[in-house]
Amino acid sequence: MSHLLRGELIKTMTTRTVLGFAVGGVAFAVLNVLAVAVWSGDLDEVPEKQEALSALPILLLLWGLVGTAGEYRHRTAAPAALVSRRHRGAVLAARITAYALMGLLLGTLTTMVSLGLALPLLSDHPGPGLTSGDVRAVVAGNLVAFVLSAILGAALGALIRSPVLGVVVLLIVNFAVVPLLSGVWESGINLTPFGAAGVLSRMTHHTTLSVAEAGWVLAAWTAAVTLVAVVVERRRDLA
């Protein structure tokens, strides 16, 4: 399994896709800090200040989906299984693990940018300041959300197998289905991967779902979709 993981890591790290999403993640982190800590006025509550440290972990769901689905678009998924002499489920498991590790790396980069820019700006706001425990909690939530989002995206990419279709479906769900659900059942949005990732990374606060519960919700979605993806992949032929 080690040679499979090493090969998938090399592919994941050397594509232009990962560079584009890394730049996009950093850009969003900067924009979020400015929007929350500078442009939104005074922040006098700890949850409001924690929001300034949030990143956009759900962005990695899109990255994992595009990257993994691209393997099928470019017809490299089957040859990878043939060369490795392992079944396609094992190759997909290695690929998903590689995305998880890269998700941790991208999450660390983005979170460090948020911390470096936001903490000095937040010191000028009234009310209680962020303690080291508050900061560590946001960092941990961000990193967990980044890793789980990358895994979930990679698993969805293996199921959908089309980057364009995957992006379209993801955008429709995020911008149409989720808001519709929010209008009908407001607390239900937190039970979606999008809502749970927002709570976990502190992008959303004052919800009925605790941070720990949001983590379990996102983990449950990730585990379920990943299991289905691996089972389906094992049953596909090598054509």
Side-chain angles (χ1 to χ4, degrees):
M1 188 68 174
S2 60
H3 70 282
L4 281 177
L5 179 57
R6 185 165 54 249
E8 293 300 327
L9 272 173
I10 291 173
K11 285 196 299 183
T12 305
M13 295 173 63
T14 55
T15 62
R16 289 177 294 179
T17 305
V18 69
L19 177 60
F21 276 91
V23 173
V26 170
F28 176 83
V30 172
L31 181 61
N32 180 68
V33 170
L34 294 176
V36 177
V38 178
W39 301 331
S40 63
D42 289 338
L43 307 176
D44 51 15
E45 296 182 7
V46 169
E48 293 176 337
K49 295 177 180 179
Q50 286 181 313
E51 185 180 347
L53 306 181
S54 177
L56 185 64
I58 208 68
L59 183 66
L60 285 203
L61 194 157
L62 183 61
W63 168 65
L65 189 155
V66 170
T68 304
E71 296 277 354
Y72 301 93
R73 177 186 178 187
H74 299 295
R75 301 185 182 276
T76 58
L82 289 171
V83 171
S84 66
R85 298 182 180 179
R86 302 291 295 274
H87 60 76
R88 293 181 62 154
V91 175
L92 178 58
R95 184 171 301 133
I96 290 175
T97 302
Y99 274 89
L101 294 174
M102 282 302 298
L104 178 60
L105 180 61
L106 292 175
T108 301
L109 170 65
T110 307
T111 302
M112 291 304 101
V113 170
S114 294
L115 290 178
L117 182 60
L119 290 179
L121 294 174
L122 291 174
S123 63
D124 295 331
H125 286 267
L130 293 178
T131 66
S132 58
D134 294 329
V135 175
R136 285 196 299 269
V138 177
V139 171
N142 268 328
L143 295 182
V144 171
F146 267 98
V147 172
L148 291 178
S149 296
I151 295 172
L152 180 58
L156 286 172
L159 288 172
I160 298 176
R161 305 179 73 182
S162 168
V164 176
L165 177 61
V167 170
V168 170
V169 170
L170 189 63
L171 292 178
I172 290 175
V173 171
N174 189 33
F175 293 107
V177 177
V178 171
L180 181 62
L181 175 63
S182 178
V184 176
W185 181 26
E186 185 175 356
S187 60
I189 190 174
N190 296 325
L191 299 178
T192 68
F194 304 94
V199 175
L200 188 57
S201 65
R202 305 307 199 279
M203 182 65 67
T204 305
H205 48 84
H206 297 311
T207 67
T208 56
L209 200 66
S210 70
V211 174
E213 290 169 340
W216 283 113
V217 169
L218 185 56
W221 276 103
T222 302
V225 176
T226 301
L227 178 61
V228 171
V230 172
V231 170
V232 170
E233 190 71 7
R234 290 195 63 170
R235 294 182 177 181
R236 285 175 177 154
D237 58 36
L238 292 174

